[in-house]
């Protein structure tokens, strides 16, 4: 229903659905590749038939993706995390392909609907995707339906100027999606939309991929480490600790400050 609502708002709207699993990401639906709707030229009967086929197509693609993920999860005994960095990269690549096509260019946005916790080891790749989206003017919205907040998506919405929301009542998810995330970027400046109380700027160290509150930052490549190292594992810079309390070559600071 949310997909149908987006497409009905404007005949130029297009939508792509990307599923994110623990091992793979896949395109489930592309409105430009499957729909033949051309605005007012479609009758109500044909429109209803198209909507039914669209729902069936998305449902079938989702069921096939979930089945593959279940088979893959049986072979691994480790904790499974959602590969959100992969899905963000796929979305940005698709947007770049569209923007390089013929005019007019659509106003691209990414909506992340996440129910799983963040994976600390994906911090670098996720942040690279966030900064890439910011540079290309792509807004990232986030709707978290899991039991805890997502620090990655909080930073993504803060940096790109999107909306972060964790619905207090998950049963009303459709109402939250339609009333909050269907608004275009121009209309948002006139609406009183929900804003997060705070943003978790904690980073993950490059050495152990763990979320830290305080760490060491390489002054050459800005890599973050939870402990002092003799050399930077990222750029190879050599560090030395002086006799005083200062650290030569490394600055101790709170990530995100």
């Amino acid at each position: 229903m949310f997909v149908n609502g987006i497409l009905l708002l404007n005949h130029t709207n297009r939508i792509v659905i990307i599923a994110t699993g623990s091992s793979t990401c896949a395109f489930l639906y592309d409105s430009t590749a499957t729909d033949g709707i051309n605005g007012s030229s479609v009758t109500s009967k044909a429109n209803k038939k198209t909507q039914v086929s669209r729902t069936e197509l998305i449902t079938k693609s989702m069921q096939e993706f979930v089945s593959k993920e279940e088979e893959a999860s049986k072979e691994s005994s480790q904790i499974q995390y959602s590969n959100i960095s992969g899905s963000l990269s796929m979305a940005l690549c698709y947007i770049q392909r569209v923007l390089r096509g013929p005019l007019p260019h659509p106003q691209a946005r990414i909506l992340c609907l996440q129910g799983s916790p963040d994976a600390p080891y994906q911090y670098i790749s996720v942040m690279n995707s966030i900064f890439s989206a910011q540079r290309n003017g792509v807004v990232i919205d986030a709707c978290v339906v899991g039991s805890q907040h997502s620090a990655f998506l909080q930073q993504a919405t803060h940096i790109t100027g999107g909306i972060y929301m964790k619905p207090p009542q998950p049963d009303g998810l459709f109402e939250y999606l339609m009333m909050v995330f269907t608004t275009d970027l121009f209309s948002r400046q006139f609406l009183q939309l929900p804003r997060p109380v705070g943003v978790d700027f904690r980073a993950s160290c490059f050495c152990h991929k763990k979320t830290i509150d305080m760490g060491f930052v390489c002054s050459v490549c800005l890599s973050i480490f939870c402990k002092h190292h003799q050399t930077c594992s990222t750029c190879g810079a050599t560090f030395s600790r002086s006799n005083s309390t200062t650290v030569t070559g490394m600055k101790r600071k709170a990530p995100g400050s």
Side-chain angles (χ1 to χ4, degrees):
M1 292 186 292
F2 175 66
V3 173
N4 291 334
I6 289 289
L7 297 176
L8 288 173
L9 286 175
N10 195 304
H11 71 280
T12 61
N13 284 354
R14 61 181 67 177
I15 189 168
V16 174
I17 302 177
I18 302 176
T20 306
S22 58
S23 57
T24 60
C25 302
F27 285 97
L28 297 185
Y29 174 76
D30 186 350
S31 61
T32 59
T34 57
D35 289 353
I37 302 177
N38 188 16
S40 59
S41 62
V42 181
T43 62
S44 59
K45 183 177 180 180
N47 191 16
K48 181 178 180 180
K49 181 179 179 181
T50 305
Q51 290 185 5
V52 171
S53 62
R54 181 187 301 136
T55 303
E56 293 175 350
L57 177 62
I58 296 175
T59 303
K60 182 180 179 180
S61 301
M62 178 65 73
Q63 291 175 349
E64 293 176 354
F65 181 81
V66 171
S67 299
K68 293 180 181 179
E69 281 295 313
E70 289 178 349
E71 292 295 331
S73 61
K74 294 178 181 179
E75 301 176 357
S76 177
S77 58
Q78 299 179 354
I79 300 177
Q80 302 294 321
Y81 290 97
S82 176
N83 188 19
I84 186 175
S85 59
S87 57
L88 285 175
S89 300
M90 292 176 63
L92 290 172
C93 289
Y94 183 90
I95 290 173
Q96 281 298 312
R97 186 179 67 181
V98 173
L99 294 179
R100 294 180 181 180
L103 295 175
H105 296 320
Q107 195 174 34
R109 287 184 292 160
I110 297 177
L111 171 61
C112 297
L113 183 63
Q114 180 172 328
S116 58
D118 293 332
Y121 64 87
Q122 296 185 31
Y123 175 77
I124 302 174
S125 55
V126 170
M127 293 305 299
N128 287 338
S129 299
I130 295 173
F131 291 130
S132 177
Q134 181 193 34
R135 183 174 182 179
N136 291 278
V138 179
V139 174
I140 299 179
D141 296 330
C143 182
V144 179
V145 295
S147 58
Q148 56 185 344
H149 286 276
S150 171
F152 290 170
L153 295 182
Q154 284 181 345
Q155 297 182 40
T157 56
H158 177 77
I159 293 174
T160 62
I163 300 175
Y164 176 90
M165 186 178 186
K166 188 176 185 299
Q169 297 180 354
D171 294 340
L173 179 61
F174 175 70
E175 285 77 7
Y176 291 111
L177 292 176
M178 291 299 297
M179 299 301 297
V180 177
F181 296 105
T182 55
T183 56
D184 58 87
L185 301 182
F186 178 77
S187 302
R188 290 183 180 185
Q189 57 184 324
F190 306 106
L191 301 175
Q192 191 69 25
L193 298 174
R195 297 294 178 184
V197 178
V199 180
D200 188 356
F201 286 107
R202 290 185 301 171
S204 298
C205 65
F206 286 31
C207 46
H208 299 94
K209 312 299 181 184
K210 296 181 179 180
T211 304
I212 57 176
D213 296 316
M214 186 73 69
F216 294 89
V217 179
C218 174
S219 58
V220 178
C221 65
L222 300 181
S223 297
I224 304 172
F225 304 97
C226 58
K227 297 181 180 179
H228 181 269
H229 294 268
Q230 296 297 328
T231 58
C232 177
S233 59
T234 304
C235 65
T238 304
F239 308 113
S240 61
R241 186 187 293 274
S242 61
N243 295 329
S244 61
T245 57
T246 59
V247 179
T248 304
M250 272 189 166
K251 298 178 181 179
R252 186 165 183 165
K253 58 184 292 188
S257 62

